[in-house]
Amino acid sequence: RGLGDVYKRQALLGKVATEGVEYWRAGLLGKRRVRVDNHILMLGWNEQRTIHLIRMLQHEETGKRPIVLCTRSDIENPLPGEINFVKVNSYTDGKEMEKTGIESASCILIDNPEDDITLSAALYCANRNPKAHLLVYFKDEALSDLLHKHCPNSECIPAVGAVSYTHLTLPT
């Protein structure tokens, strides 16, 4: 074996390692499609409130359903190795939302800082997956009534902040 074979082998190992890191990084940045079924899909990012909700769900769902966080915010996966993460530009873009496994989610929870985005996301999700249990947080409770008229299966969480999640029990 010549020195050329050694260099080829090292180049191949370097390429494989680089591709592995790029694959891992794509997951951290939310650029990969998640491969889950019967999961909880969370749309929105409210920093510590979202982390608090994820922690409560993890406690309640230990070993049951995986959690997928989908956000438009420019963040990395806040809990790598614990939850799946998808970054999108719009909660109503079909191609981007496909990466979340929206059609196979058993529960979709929407908690976004802007009510108009929350409403459009809720309508879109109810259309894409009418069988999923839809939990939505609005600041303006009038929007709760509006959404419920169009999506009778939706459940709106009162606009009282993170404390309102303490009573939350998710259907399986």
PDB file of all heavy atoms in Angstrom, residues 54-94:
ATOM      1  N   ILE A  54     -42.583  22.827  27.989  1.00  0.00           N
ATOM      2  CA  ILE A  54     -41.923  21.599  27.531  1.00  0.00           C
ATOM      3  C   ILE A  54     -41.571  20.716  28.728  1.00  0.00           C
ATOM      4  O   ILE A  54     -41.797  19.505  28.703  1.00  0.00           O
ATOM      5  CB  ILE A  54     -40.667  21.920  26.696  1.00  0.00           C
ATOM      6  CG1 ILE A  54     -41.071  22.519  25.350  1.00  0.00           C
ATOM      7  CG2 ILE A  54     -39.822  20.664  26.478  1.00  0.00           C
ATOM      8  CD1 ILE A  54     -39.912  23.102  24.544  1.00  0.00           C
ATOM      9  N   ARG A  55     -41.059  21.314  29.784  1.00  0.00           N
ATOM     10  CA  ARG A  55     -40.691  20.546  30.986  1.00  0.00           C
ATOM     11  C   ARG A  55     -41.919  19.870  31.593  1.00  0.00           C
ATOM     12  O   ARG A  55     -41.860  18.720  32.023  1.00  0.00           O
ATOM     13  CB  ARG A  55     -40.007  21.436  32.018  1.00  0.00           C
ATOM     14  CG  ARG A  55     -38.636  21.915  31.598  1.00  0.00           C
ATOM     15  CD  ARG A  55     -37.670  20.761  31.558  1.00  0.00           C
ATOM     16  NE  ARG A  55     -36.320  21.226  31.262  1.00  0.00           N
ATOM     17  CZ  ARG A  55     -35.474  20.552  30.526  1.00  0.00           C
ATOM     18  NH1 ARG A  55     -35.798  19.383  30.020  1.00  0.00           N
ATOM     19  NH2 ARG A  55     -34.270  21.027  30.291  1.00  0.00           N
ATOM     20  N   MET A  56     -43.041  20.589  31.628  1.00  0.00           N
ATOM     21  CA  MET A  56     -44.272  19.995  32.150  1.00  0.00           C
ATOM     22  C   MET A  56     -44.738  18.845  31.261  1.00  0.00           C
ATOM     23  O   MET A  56     -45.155  17.793  31.764  1.00  0.00           O
ATOM     24  CB  MET A  56     -45.360  21.062  32.279  1.00  0.00           C
ATOM     25  CG  MET A  56     -45.092  21.992  33.440  1.00  0.00           C
ATOM     26  SD  MET A  56     -46.284  23.318  33.712  1.00  0.00           S
ATOM     27  CE  MET A  56     -47.757  22.821  32.938  1.00  0.00           C
ATOM     28  N   LEU A  57     -44.665  19.039  29.951  1.00  0.00           N
ATOM     29  CA  LEU A  57     -45.068  17.979  29.026  1.00  0.00           C
ATOM     30  C   LEU A  57     -44.152  16.768  29.156  1.00  0.00           C
ATOM     31  O   LEU A  57     -44.622  15.629  29.136  1.00  0.00           O
ATOM     32  CB  LEU A  57     -45.050  18.493  27.584  1.00  0.00           C
ATOM     33  CG  LEU A  57     -46.125  19.511  27.218  1.00  0.00           C
ATOM     34  CD1 LEU A  57     -45.863  20.083  25.832  1.00  0.00           C
ATOM     35  CD2 LEU A  57     -47.507  18.894  27.289  1.00  0.00           C
ATOM     36  N   GLN A  58     -42.853  17.003  29.280  1.00  0.00           N
ATOM     37  CA  GLN A  58     -41.912  15.891  29.445  1.00  0.00           C
ATOM     38  C   GLN A  58     -42.239  15.089  30.702  1.00  0.00           C
ATOM     39  O   GLN A  58     -42.182  13.860  30.682  1.00  0.00           O
ATOM     40  CB  GLN A  58     -40.477  16.411  29.519  1.00  0.00           C
ATOM     41  CG  GLN A  58     -39.936  16.868  28.190  1.00  0.00           C
ATOM     42  CD  GLN A  58     -38.562  17.513  28.316  1.00  0.00           C
ATOM     43  OE1 GLN A  58     -38.286  18.223  29.272  1.00  0.00           O
ATOM     44  NE2 GLN A  58     -37.718  17.263  27.342  1.00  0.00           N
ATOM     45  N   HIS A  59     -42.587  15.776  31.766  1.00  0.00           N
ATOM     46  CA  HIS A  59     -42.933  15.099  33.011  1.00  0.00           C
ATOM     47  C   HIS A  59     -44.195  14.245  32.827  1.00  0.00           C
ATOM     48  O   HIS A  59     -44.253  13.096  33.258  1.00  0.00           O
ATOM     49  CB  HIS A  59     -43.137  16.121  34.134  1.00  0.00           C
ATOM     50  CG  HIS A  59     -43.543  15.512  35.433  1.00  0.00           C
ATOM     51  ND1 HIS A  59     -42.658  14.808  36.225  1.00  0.00           N
ATOM     52  CD2 HIS A  59     -44.744  15.470  36.067  1.00  0.00           C
ATOM     53  CE1 HIS A  59     -43.297  14.369  37.288  1.00  0.00           C
ATOM     54  NE2 HIS A  59     -44.555  14.761  37.221  1.00  0.00           N
ATOM     55  N   GLU A  60     -45.188  14.822  32.151  1.00  0.00           N
ATOM     56  CA  GLU A  60     -46.459  14.134  31.944  1.00  0.00           C
ATOM     57  C   GLU A  60     -46.358  13.032  30.901  1.00  0.00           C
ATOM     58  O   GLU A  60     -47.043  12.025  30.979  1.00  0.00           O
ATOM     59  CB  GLU A  60     -47.516  15.166  31.509  1.00  0.00           C
ATOM     60  CG  GLU A  60     -48.917  14.627  31.512  1.00  0.00           C
ATOM     61  CD  GLU A  60     -49.937  15.717  31.248  1.00  0.00           C
ATOM     62  OE1 GLU A  60     -49.899  16.761  31.918  1.00  0.00           O
ATOM     63  OE2 GLU A  60     -50.751  15.515  30.350  1.00  0.00           O
ATOM     64  N   GLU A  61     -45.493  13.219  29.915  1.00  0.00           N
ATOM     65  CA  GLU A  61     -45.416  12.316  28.763  1.00  0.00           C
ATOM     66  C   GLU A  61     -44.223  11.367  28.802  1.00  0.00           C
ATOM     67  O   GLU A  61     -43.888  10.786  27.780  1.00  0.00           O
ATOM     68  CB  GLU A  61     -45.337  13.149  27.469  1.00  0.00           C
ATOM     69  CG  GLU A  61     -46.610  13.883  27.132  1.00  0.00           C
ATOM     70  CD  GLU A  61     -47.734  12.954  26.698  1.00  0.00           C
ATOM     71  OE1 GLU A  61     -47.479  11.966  25.990  1.00  0.00           O
ATOM     72  OE2 GLU A  61     -48.877  13.228  27.070  1.00  0.00           O
ATOM     73  N   THR A  62     -43.574  11.201  29.918  1.00  0.00           N
ATOM     74  CA  THR A  62     -42.372  10.378  30.013  1.00  0.00           C
ATOM     75  C   THR A  62     -42.578   9.033  29.315  1.00  0.00           C
ATOM     76  O   THR A  62     -43.454   8.265  29.695  1.00  0.00           O
ATOM     77  CB  THR A  62     -41.970  10.156  31.486  1.00  0.00           C
ATOM     78  OG1 THR A  62     -41.789  11.430  32.093  1.00  0.00           O
ATOM     79  CG2 THR A  62     -40.690   9.350  31.590  1.00  0.00           C
ATOM     80  N   GLY A  63     -41.781   8.799  28.283  1.00  0.00           N
ATOM     81  CA  GLY A  63     -41.838   7.534  27.566  1.00  0.00           C
ATOM     82  C   GLY A  63     -43.032   7.361  26.663  1.00  0.00           C
ATOM     83  O   GLY A  63     -43.226   6.293  26.105  1.00  0.00           O
ATOM     84  N   LYS A  64     -43.865   8.370  26.516  1.00  0.00           N
ATOM     85  CA  LYS A  64     -45.067   8.241  25.697  1.00  0.00           C
ATOM     86  C   LYS A  64     -44.867   8.889  24.334  1.00  0.00           C
ATOM     87  O   LYS A  64     -44.361   8.261  23.422  1.00  0.00           O
ATOM     88  CB  LYS A  64     -46.277   8.841  26.410  1.00  0.00           C
ATOM     89  CG  LYS A  64     -46.645   8.130  27.706  1.00  0.00           C
ATOM     90  CD  LYS A  64     -47.808   8.807  28.379  1.00  0.00           C
ATOM     91  CE  LYS A  64     -48.053   8.229  29.765  1.00  0.00           C
ATOM     92  NZ  LYS A  64     -48.967   9.046  30.538  1.00  0.00           N
ATOM     93  N   ARG A  65     -45.258  10.145  24.221  1.00  0.00           N
ATOM     94  CA  ARG A  65     -45.202  10.823  22.921  1.00  0.00           C
ATOM     95  C   ARG A  65     -44.001  11.764  22.834  1.00  0.00           C
ATOM     96  O   ARG A  65     -43.725  12.517  23.772  1.00  0.00           O
ATOM     97  CB  ARG A  65     -46.478  11.632  22.689  1.00  0.00           C
ATOM     98  CG  ARG A  65     -47.717  10.763  22.589  1.00  0.00           C
ATOM     99  CD  ARG A  65     -48.949  11.573  22.335  1.00  0.00           C
ATOM    100  NE  ARG A  65     -49.352  12.275  23.555  1.00  0.00           N
ATOM    101  CZ  ARG A  65     -50.412  13.054  23.640  1.00  0.00           C
ATOM    102  NH1 ARG A  65     -51.176  13.253  22.600  1.00  0.00           N
ATOM    103  NH2 ARG A  65     -50.725  13.644  24.773  1.00  0.00           N
ATOM    104  N   PRO A  66     -43.325  11.738  21.690  1.00  0.00           N
ATOM    105  CA  PRO A  66     -42.236  12.695  21.505  1.00  0.00           C
ATOM    106  C   PRO A  66     -42.783  14.113  21.322  1.00  0.00           C
ATOM    107  O   PRO A  66     -43.946  14.307  20.954  1.00  0.00           O
ATOM    108  CB  PRO A  66     -41.538  12.217  20.231  1.00  0.00           C
ATOM    109  CG  PRO A  66     -42.452  11.250  19.580  1.00  0.00           C
ATOM    110  CD  PRO A  66     -43.465  10.809  20.588  1.00  0.00           C
ATOM    111  N   ILE A  67     -41.949  15.096  21.600  1.00  0.00           N
ATOM    112  CA  ILE A  67     -42.317  16.505  21.463  1.00  0.00           C
ATOM    113  C   ILE A  67     -41.525  17.106  20.315  1.00  0.00           C
ATOM    114  O   ILE A  67     -40.304  16.927  20.230  1.00  0.00           O
ATOM    115  CB  ILE A  67     -42.037  17.271  22.769  1.00  0.00           C
ATOM    116  CG1 ILE A  67     -42.881  16.700  23.913  1.00  0.00           C
ATOM    117  CG2 ILE A  67     -42.302  18.767  22.586  1.00  0.00           C
ATOM    118  CD1 ILE A  67     -42.488  17.212  25.291  1.00  0.00           C
ATOM    119  N   VAL A  68     -42.233  17.826  19.446  1.00  0.00           N
ATOM    120  CA  VAL A  68     -41.601  18.556  18.346  1.00  0.00           C
ATOM    121  C   VAL A  68     -41.898  20.036  18.544  1.00  0.00           C
ATOM    122  O   VAL A  68     -43.061  20.436  18.568  1.00  0.00           O
ATOM    123  CB  VAL A  68     -42.123  18.097  16.966  1.00  0.00           C
ATOM    124  CG1 VAL A  68     -41.512  18.940  15.853  1.00  0.00           C
ATOM    125  CG2 VAL A  68     -41.855  16.614  16.744  1.00  0.00           C
ATOM    126  N   LEU A  69     -40.858  20.840  18.699  1.00  0.00           N
ATOM    127  CA  LEU A  69     -41.009  22.291  18.785  1.00  0.00           C
ATOM    128  C   LEU A  69     -40.763  22.870  17.414  1.00  0.00           C
ATOM    129  O   LEU A  69     -39.739  22.608  16.787  1.00  0.00           O
ATOM    130  CB  LEU A  69     -40.010  22.892  19.789  1.00  0.00           C
ATOM    131  CG  LEU A  69     -39.966  24.422  19.854  1.00  0.00           C
ATOM    132  CD1 LEU A  69     -41.299  24.999  20.317  1.00  0.00           C
ATOM    133  CD2 LEU A  69     -38.827  24.877  20.768  1.00  0.00           C
ATOM    134  N   CYS A  70     -41.724  23.649  16.933  1.00  0.00           N
ATOM    135  CA  CYS A  70     -41.613  24.314  15.643  1.00  0.00           C
ATOM    136  C   CYS A  70     -41.699  25.817  15.893  1.00  0.00           C
ATOM    137  O   CYS A  70     -42.642  26.283  16.537  1.00  0.00           O
ATOM    138  CB  CYS A  70     -42.736  23.856  14.713  1.00  0.00           C
ATOM    139  SG  CYS A  70     -42.785  24.726  13.135  1.00  0.00           S
ATOM    140  N   THR A  71     -40.742  26.555  15.383  1.00  0.00           N
ATOM    141  CA  THR A  71     -40.720  27.988  15.633  1.00  0.00           C
ATOM    142  C   THR A  71     -40.302  28.770  14.401  1.00  0.00           C
ATOM    143  O   THR A  71     -39.585  28.260  13.548  1.00  0.00           O
ATOM    144  CB  THR A  71     -39.783  28.326  16.817  1.00  0.00           C
ATOM    145  OG1 THR A  71     -39.787  29.724  17.038  1.00  0.00           O
ATOM    146  CG2 THR A  71     -38.365  27.877  16.545  1.00  0.00           C
ATOM    147  N   ARG A  72     -40.762  30.007  14.355  1.00  0.00           N
ATOM    148  CA  ARG A  72     -40.313  30.952  13.327  1.00  0.00           C
ATOM    149  C   ARG A  72     -39.153  31.776  13.855  1.00  0.00           C
ATOM    150  O   ARG A  72     -38.483  32.458  13.108  1.00  0.00           O
ATOM    151  CB  ARG A  72     -41.449  31.908  12.947  1.00  0.00           C
ATOM    152  CG  ARG A  72     -42.650  31.226  12.353  1.00  0.00           C
ATOM    153  CD  ARG A  72     -43.823  32.179  12.195  1.00  0.00           C
ATOM    154  NE  ARG A  72     -43.447  33.535  12.567  1.00  0.00           N
ATOM    155  CZ  ARG A  72     -43.917  34.647  12.014  1.00  0.00           C
ATOM    156  NH1 ARG A  72     -44.821  34.569  11.100  1.00  0.00           N
ATOM    157  NH2 ARG A  72     -43.525  35.834  12.404  1.00  0.00           N
ATOM    158  N   SER A  73     -38.931  31.724  15.151  1.00  0.00           N
ATOM    159  CA  SER A  73     -37.868  32.515  15.786  1.00  0.00           C
ATOM    160  C   SER A  73     -36.496  32.005  15.367  1.00  0.00           C
ATOM    161  O   SER A  73     -36.309  30.816  15.112  1.00  0.00           O
ATOM    162  CB  SER A  73     -37.983  32.435  17.310  1.00  0.00           C
ATOM    163  OG  SER A  73     -39.226  32.942  17.727  1.00  0.00           O
ATOM    164  N   ASP A  74     -35.552  32.898  15.337  1.00  0.00           N
ATOM    165  CA  ASP A  74     -34.191  32.560  14.928  1.00  0.00           C
ATOM    166  C   ASP A  74     -33.414  32.025  16.129  1.00  0.00           C
ATOM    167  O   ASP A  74     -32.632  32.732  16.753  1.00  0.00           O
ATOM    168  CB  ASP A  74     -33.507  33.797  14.334  1.00  0.00           C
ATOM    169  CG  ASP A  74     -32.215  33.440  13.637  1.00  0.00           C
ATOM    170  OD1 ASP A  74     -32.043  32.259  13.283  1.00  0.00           O
ATOM    171  OD2 ASP A  74     -31.361  34.334  13.462  1.00  0.00           O
ATOM    172  N   ILE A  75     -33.702  30.770  16.472  1.00  0.00           N
ATOM    173  CA  ILE A  75     -33.041  30.119  17.605  1.00  0.00           C
ATOM    174  C   ILE A  75     -32.561  28.746  17.167  1.00  0.00           C
ATOM    175  O   ILE A  75     -32.968  28.240  16.119  1.00  0.00           O
ATOM    176  CB  ILE A  75     -33.981  29.966  18.826  1.00  0.00           C
ATOM    177  CG1 ILE A  75     -35.174  29.071  18.478  1.00  0.00           C
ATOM    178  CG2 ILE A  75     -34.420  31.325  19.348  1.00  0.00           C
ATOM    179  CD1 ILE A  75     -35.983  28.619  19.687  1.00  0.00           C
ATOM    180  N   GLU A  76     -31.723  28.143  17.999  1.00  0.00           N
ATOM    181  CA  GLU A  76     -31.351  26.744  17.833  1.00  0.00           C
ATOM    182  C   GLU A  76     -32.220  25.921  18.771  1.00  0.00           C
ATOM    183  O   GLU A  76     -32.886  26.473  19.645  1.00  0.00           O
ATOM    184  CB  GLU A  76     -29.869  26.546  18.168  1.00  0.00           C
ATOM    185  CG  GLU A  76     -28.936  27.233  17.205  1.00  0.00           C
ATOM    186  CD  GLU A  76     -27.468  26.964  17.508  1.00  0.00           C
ATOM    187  OE1 GLU A  76     -27.158  26.208  18.454  1.00  0.00           O
ATOM    188  OE2 GLU A  76     -26.632  27.529  16.794  1.00  0.00           O
ATOM    189  N   ASN A  77     -32.185  24.618  18.600  1.00  0.00           N
ATOM    190  CA  ASN A  77     -32.939  23.734  19.481  1.00  0.00           C
ATOM    191  C   ASN A  77     -32.569  24.051  20.933  1.00  0.00           C
ATOM    192  O   ASN A  77     -31.412  23.910  21.317  1.00  0.00           O
ATOM    193  CB  ASN A  77     -32.625  22.276  19.158  1.00  0.00           C
ATOM    194  CG  ASN A  77     -33.479  21.301  19.939  1.00  0.00           C
ATOM    195  OD1 ASN A  77     -34.040  21.624  20.979  1.00  0.00           O
ATOM    196  ND2 ASN A  77     -33.583  20.090  19.432  1.00  0.00           N
ATOM    197  N   PRO A  78     -33.548  24.502  21.740  1.00  0.00           N
ATOM    198  CA  PRO A  78     -33.232  24.881  23.115  1.00  0.00           C
ATOM    199  C   PRO A  78     -32.944  23.680  24.018  1.00  0.00           C
ATOM    200  O   PRO A  78     -32.343  23.830  25.079  1.00  0.00           O
ATOM    201  CB  PRO A  78     -34.488  25.618  23.582  1.00  0.00           C
ATOM    202  CG  PRO A  78     -35.582  25.054  22.735  1.00  0.00           C
ATOM    203  CD  PRO A  78     -34.954  24.732  21.416  1.00  0.00           C
ATOM    204  N   LEU A  79     -33.369  22.482  23.588  1.00  0.00           N
ATOM    205  CA  LEU A  79     -33.174  21.269  24.391  1.00  0.00           C
ATOM    206  C   LEU A  79     -32.713  20.113  23.496  1.00  0.00           C
ATOM    207  O   LEU A  79     -33.432  19.124  23.318  1.00  0.00           O
ATOM    208  CB  LEU A  79     -34.476  20.902  25.119  1.00  0.00           C
ATOM    209  CG  LEU A  79     -35.009  21.951  26.098  1.00  0.00           C
ATOM    210  CD1 LEU A  79     -36.446  21.644  26.495  1.00  0.00           C
ATOM    211  CD2 LEU A  79     -34.102  22.065  27.313  1.00  0.00           C
ATOM    212  N   PRO A  80     -31.516  20.237  22.901  1.00  0.00           N
ATOM    213  CA  PRO A  80     -31.055  19.177  21.996  1.00  0.00           C
ATOM    214  C   PRO A  80     -30.948  17.838  22.718  1.00  0.00           C
ATOM    215  O   PRO A  80     -30.546  17.779  23.875  1.00  0.00           O
ATOM    216  CB  PRO A  80     -29.680  19.673  21.526  1.00  0.00           C
ATOM    217  CG  PRO A  80     -29.279  20.748  22.462  1.00  0.00           C
ATOM    218  CD  PRO A  80     -30.533  21.283  23.080  1.00  0.00           C
ATOM    219  N   GLY A  81     -31.363  16.801  22.023  1.00  0.00           N
ATOM    220  CA  GLY A  81     -31.346  15.473  22.617  1.00  0.00           C
ATOM    221  C   GLY A  81     -32.591  15.155  23.434  1.00  0.00           C
ATOM    222  O   GLY A  81     -32.833  14.009  23.770  1.00  0.00           O
ATOM    223  N   GLU A  82     -33.382  16.185  23.752  1.00  0.00           N
ATOM    224  CA  GLU A  82     -34.605  15.974  24.530  1.00  0.00           C
ATOM    225  C   GLU A  82     -35.862  16.136  23.693  1.00  0.00           C
ATOM    226  O   GLU A  82     -36.849  15.452  23.927  1.00  0.00           O
ATOM    227  CB  GLU A  82     -34.663  16.967  25.699  1.00  0.00           C
ATOM    228  CG  GLU A  82     -33.571  16.782  26.726  1.00  0.00           C
ATOM    229  CD  GLU A  82     -33.728  17.742  27.890  1.00  0.00           C
ATOM    230  OE1 GLU A  82     -34.867  17.897  28.383  1.00  0.00           O
ATOM    231  OE2 GLU A  82     -32.718  18.343  28.305  1.00  0.00           O
ATOM    232  N   ILE A  83     -35.837  17.083  22.757  1.00  0.00           N
ATOM    233  CA  ILE A  83     -36.996  17.321  21.891  1.00  0.00           C
ATOM    234  C   ILE A  83     -36.521  17.413  20.444  1.00  0.00           C
ATOM    235  O   ILE A  83     -35.341  17.652  20.183  1.00  0.00           O
ATOM    236  CB  ILE A  83     -37.743  18.637  22.261  1.00  0.00           C
ATOM    237  CG1 ILE A  83     -36.835  19.853  22.070  1.00  0.00           C
ATOM    238  CG2 ILE A  83     -38.303  18.558  23.673  1.00  0.00           C
ATOM    239  CD1 ILE A  83     -37.553  21.193  22.137  1.00  0.00           C
ATOM    240  N   ASN A  84     -37.463  17.220  19.534  1.00  0.00           N
ATOM    241  CA  ASN A  84     -37.199  17.460  18.116  1.00  0.00           C
ATOM    242  C   ASN A  84     -37.463  18.931  17.839  1.00  0.00           C
ATOM    243  O   ASN A  84     -38.278  19.561  18.517  1.00  0.00           O
ATOM    244  CB  ASN A  84     -38.111  16.586  17.250  1.00  0.00           C
ATOM    245  CG  ASN A  84     -37.802  15.122  17.408  1.00  0.00           C
ATOM    246  OD1 ASN A  84     -36.815  14.638  16.890  1.00  0.00           O
ATOM    247  ND2 ASN A  84     -38.645  14.408  18.143  1.00  0.00           N
ATOM    248  N   PHE A  85     -36.825  19.465  16.812  1.00  0.00           N
ATOM    249  CA  PHE A  85     -36.900  20.901  16.553  1.00  0.00           C
ATOM    250  C   PHE A  85     -36.951  21.163  15.057  1.00  0.00           C
ATOM    251  O   PHE A  85     -36.184  20.585  14.293  1.00  0.00           O
ATOM    252  CB  PHE A  85     -35.676  21.585  17.169  1.00  0.00           C
ATOM    253  CG  PHE A  85     -35.601  23.064  16.931  1.00  0.00           C
ATOM    254  CD1 PHE A  85     -36.514  23.918  17.522  1.00  0.00           C
ATOM    255  CD2 PHE A  85     -34.613  23.594  16.123  1.00  0.00           C
ATOM    256  CE1 PHE A  85     -36.443  25.291  17.307  1.00  0.00           C
ATOM    257  CE2 PHE A  85     -34.531  24.958  15.911  1.00  0.00           C
ATOM    258  CZ  PHE A  85     -35.439  25.809  16.500  1.00  0.00           C
ATOM    259  N   VAL A  86     -37.890  22.046  14.661  1.00  0.00           N
ATOM    260  CA  VAL A  86     -38.003  22.454  13.263  1.00  0.00           C
ATOM    261  C   VAL A  86     -38.154  23.970  13.208  1.00  0.00           C
ATOM    262  O   VAL A  86     -38.978  24.542  13.921  1.00  0.00           O
ATOM    263  CB  VAL A  86     -39.218  21.783  12.560  1.00  0.00           C
ATOM    264  CG1 VAL A  86     -39.384  22.306  11.140  1.00  0.00           C
ATOM    265  CG2 VAL A  86     -39.066  20.275  12.563  1.00  0.00           C
ATOM    266  N   LYS A  87     -37.364  24.605  12.370  1.00  0.00           N
ATOM    267  CA  LYS A  87     -37.427  26.051  12.156  1.00  0.00           C
ATOM    268  C   LYS A  87     -38.133  26.290  10.828  1.00  0.00           C
ATOM    269  O   LYS A  87     -37.797  25.672   9.828  1.00  0.00           O
ATOM    270  CB  LYS A  87     -35.993  26.613  12.128  1.00  0.00           C
ATOM    271  CG  LYS A  87     -35.850  28.004  11.559  1.00  0.00           C
ATOM    272  CD  LYS A  87     -36.028  29.053  12.617  1.00  0.00           C
ATOM    273  CE  LYS A  87     -35.711  30.449  12.120  1.00  0.00           C
ATOM    274  NZ  LYS A  87     -36.597  31.000  11.144  1.00  0.00           N
ATOM    275  N   VAL A  88     -39.143  27.171  10.836  1.00  0.00           N
ATOM    276  CA  VAL A  88     -39.884  27.503   9.615  1.00  0.00           C
ATOM    277  C   VAL A  88     -39.956  29.020   9.458  1.00  0.00           C
ATOM    278  O   VAL A  88     -39.746  29.763  10.412  1.00  0.00           O
ATOM    279  CB  VAL A  88     -41.324  26.920   9.632  1.00  0.00           C
ATOM    280  CG1 VAL A  88     -41.305  25.403   9.671  1.00  0.00           C
ATOM    281  CG2 VAL A  88     -42.136  27.473  10.784  1.00  0.00           C
ATOM    282  N   ASN A  89     -40.273  29.454   8.259  1.00  0.00           N
ATOM    283  CA  ASN A  89     -40.516  30.878   8.017  1.00  0.00           C
ATOM    284  C   ASN A  89     -41.980  31.224   8.233  1.00  0.00           C
ATOM    285  O   ASN A  89     -42.315  32.359   8.524  1.00  0.00           O
ATOM    286  CB  ASN A  89     -40.090  31.273   6.604  1.00  0.00           C
ATOM    287  CG  ASN A  89     -38.586  31.235   6.444  1.00  0.00           C
ATOM    288  OD1 ASN A  89     -37.847  31.721   7.298  1.00  0.00           O
ATOM    289  ND2 ASN A  89     -38.124  30.621   5.367  1.00  0.00           N
ATOM    290  N   SER A  90     -42.852  30.214   8.038  1.00  0.00           N
ATOM    291  CA  SER A  90     -44.285  30.435   8.180  1.00  0.00           C
ATOM    292  C   SER A  90     -44.955  29.162   8.678  1.00  0.00           C
ATOM    293  O   SER A  90     -44.631  28.060   8.208  1.00  0.00           O
ATOM    294  CB  SER A  90     -44.885  30.834   6.826  1.00  0.00           C
ATOM    295  OG  SER A  90     -46.289  30.820   6.883  1.00  0.00           O
ATOM    296  N   TYR A  91     -45.903  29.320   9.600  1.00  0.00           N
ATOM    297  CA  TYR A  91     -46.658  28.170  10.102  1.00  0.00           C
ATOM    298  C   TYR A  91     -47.722  27.717   9.118  1.00  0.00           C
ATOM    299  O   TYR A  91     -48.417  26.738   9.377  1.00  0.00           O
ATOM    300  CB  TYR A  91     -47.323  28.503  11.444  1.00  0.00           C
ATOM    301  CG  TYR A  91     -46.358  28.823  12.556  1.00  0.00           C
ATOM    302  CD1 TYR A  91     -46.469  29.995  13.277  1.00  0.00           C
ATOM    303  CD2 TYR A  91     -45.342  27.938  12.892  1.00  0.00           C
ATOM    304  CE1 TYR A  91     -45.596  30.289  14.315  1.00  0.00           C
ATOM    305  CE2 TYR A  91     -44.456  28.223  13.921  1.00  0.00           C
ATOM    306  CZ  TYR A  91     -44.588  29.399  14.625  1.00  0.00           C
ATOM    307  OH  TYR A  91     -43.721  29.687  15.648  1.00  0.00           O
ATOM    308  N   THR A  92     -47.868  28.414   8.012  1.00  0.00           N
ATOM    309  CA  THR A  92     -48.871  28.040   7.014  1.00  0.00           C
ATOM    310  C   THR A  92     -48.234  27.638   5.685  1.00  0.00           C
ATOM    311  O   THR A  92     -48.933  27.522   4.685  1.00  0.00           O
ATOM    312  CB  THR A  92     -49.879  29.192   6.797  1.00  0.00           C
ATOM    313  OG1 THR A  92     -49.183  30.357   6.371  1.00  0.00           O
ATOM    314  CG2 THR A  92     -50.670  29.480   8.066  1.00  0.00           C
ATOM    315  N   ASP A  93     -46.945  27.414   5.664  1.00  0.00           N
ATOM    316  CA  ASP A  93     -46.246  26.969   4.453  1.00  0.00           C
ATOM    317  C   ASP A  93     -46.240  25.440   4.443  1.00  0.00           C
ATOM    318  O   ASP A  93     -45.603  24.811   5.289  1.00  0.00           O
ATOM    319  CB  ASP A  93     -44.820  27.521   4.439  1.00  0.00           C
ATOM    320  CG  ASP A  93     -44.050  27.113   3.198  1.00  0.00           C
ATOM    321  OD1 ASP A  93     -43.880  25.893   2.973  1.00  0.00           O
ATOM    322  OD2 ASP A  93     -43.614  28.011   2.454  1.00  0.00           O
ATOM    323  N   GLY A  94     -46.958  24.868   3.486  1.00  0.00           N
ATOM    324  CA  GLY A  94     -47.132  23.418   3.433  1.00  0.00           C
ATOM    325  C   GLY A  94     -45.843  22.638   3.404  1.00  0.00           C
ATOM    326  O   GLY A  94     -45.678  21.646   4.121  1.00  0.00           O
TER     327      GLY A  94
END
